[in-house]
Amino acid sequence: MKPLYLACASAMALTAAACGPRVPAARAALECPMKQGDLTRTSASSDGKTCTYAAEGGAEVTLQLVSTQGGVDSTLAAIETNLLANRLTPEQQAAAVAATGAAAGGSAASAAAADAAAKQAAADTKGLDLDLKVDGKPVDAVNVEMKNGKTVVTEGEGSTTRIDLPGIHIVANDSDDTANIRVGPVNIDADEDTATIRVRRDVRLRGEALNPEKRGLRATFIYTGGDLPDGYRFVGYEAGGPKRGPLTVAVVRSKSGGPDGEDLYPDVKKLVRKNGGV
């Protein structure tokens, strides 16, 4: 009888293993359609690891397969570091404006146009308008927190508003126009001239809707500011794929219009999700 029990137990174990979630095969090459909405493919590497697109608004998109050797966090941090390299100092920004005016002939009109362009780049970072309310009433220079299951509002220090609630953490300072916001997976850091948005979510891979383990990742990074080199107004990336790699990453740079809120271009996200399997 004992051998029969062992045989049944072995059969059940094999059946459970067969029905368990399978590890999807790692993507070896990208699917790069000639058109994806407003994006038009401009090049594709022979190994299928990289392709580039141009958006109708002038944005440049590089879609690539990226290994996560060393870990997902270090991989994304390296991409972010590369995007933010060679940012201009305030002195370099002023020199760039002056050089733009000189290249156009040094006329007052050209200088004014260059200055207006620089101001517009800075203005792009001011789309974050905090309208903080508690119980329907505006709050300013206060501390908001939970105590004994109730929302408690107390007077803050100077011009700083602090909100520390479950899943919501905000520090906004009117004196220096800075804001640090943490709401769920969304992190926003903004000041008078720049804004940085990071979003990261653990997700299930395509075909694993019933898997209790979230083996996939979706991440967004956006930076906008007047200190970007070469006339760019914003840079960012959209990433998705299995945490074990490779990730599908779309790096976006633009000298004209920027993204809307915390979203990159919808067509960029579609490319990443299609190739990343998330």
Side-chain angles (χ1 to χ4, degrees), residues 30 48-51 62-66 79 240 246-251:
L30 293 167
K49 304 290 187 183
T50 305
C51 51
T62 301
L63 189 70
Q64 53 195 323
L65 280 177
V66 179
I79 298 172
L247 290 178
T248 299
V249 181
V251 172

Side-chain angles (χ1 to χ4, degrees), residues 28-257:
L30 293 167
E31 293 182 27
C32 299
M34 183 58 69
K35 290 281 292 184
Q36 176 67 57
D38 292 337
L39 302 176
T40 301
R41 195 183 72 200
T42 54
S43 70
S45 64
S46 58
D47 61 2
K49 304 290 187 183
T50 305
C51 51
T52 60
Y53 286 84
E56 291 183 358
E60 306 159 9
V61 180
T62 301
L63 189 70
Q64 53 195 323
L65 280 177
V66 179
S67 168
T68 57
Q69 184 176 3
V72 170
D73 292 334
S74 60
T75 299
L76 296 178
I79 298 172
E80 182 177 322
T81 298
N82 183 59
L83 282 171
L84 298 181
N86 303 318
R87 281 180 293 172
L88 306 178
T89 64
E91 292 76 16
Q92 290 173 323
Q93 293 182 58
V97 171
T100 302
S107 67
S110 298
D115 185 58
K119 289 181 178 179
Q120 180 61 43
D124 288 342
T125 68
K126 298 182 180 180
L128 180 63
D129 185 14
L130 290 180
D131 184 14
L132 305 179
K133 295 182 180 181
V134 175
D135 294 332
K137 299 178 182 179
V139 295
D140 189 21
V142 298
N143 295 326
V144 182
E145 57 187 332
M146 292 290 291
K147 288 186 177 180
N148 299 322
K150 296 183 178 180
T151 303
V152 179
V153 181
T154 58
E155 186 174 349
E157 298 179 2
S159 56
T160 300
T161 296
R162 299 179 184 275
I163 298 179
D164 191 9
L165 300 173
I168 302 175
H169 306 280
I170 299 174
V171 178
N173 193 331
D174 287 340
S175 63
D176 58 6
D177 289 328
T178 60
N180 306 106
I181 303 171
R182 307 287 182 266
V183 180
V186 181
N187 296 339
I188 301 175
D189 296 294
D191 58 30
E192 186 176 3
D193 299 315
T194 65
T196 303
I197 300 175
R198 296 179 179 88
V199 184
R200 173 173 169 161
R201 299 180 178 91
D202 292 332
V203 298
R204 292 180 178 85
L205 296 173
R206 187 178 299 132
E208 296 189 351
L210 300 180
N211 187 355
E213 182 183 2
K214 295 181 179 180
R215 300 192 289 191
L217 169 80
R218 282 173 47 198
T220 302
F221 171 77
I222 298 172
Y223 178 87
T224 179
D227 58 351
L228 291 171
D230 303 323
Y232 287 107
R233 298 265 288 278
F234 89 90
V235 296
Y237 69 72
E238 181 76 18
K243 297 174 186 176
R244 63 185 173 85
L247 290 178
T248 299
V249 181
V251 172
V252 183
R253 293 180 172 88
S254 179
K255 296 181 180 180
S256 55

Side-chain angles (χ1 to χ4, degrees), residues 3-16:
L4 179 60
Y5 288 152
L6 292 176
C8 291
S10 299
M12 291 175 65
L14 290 172
T15 302

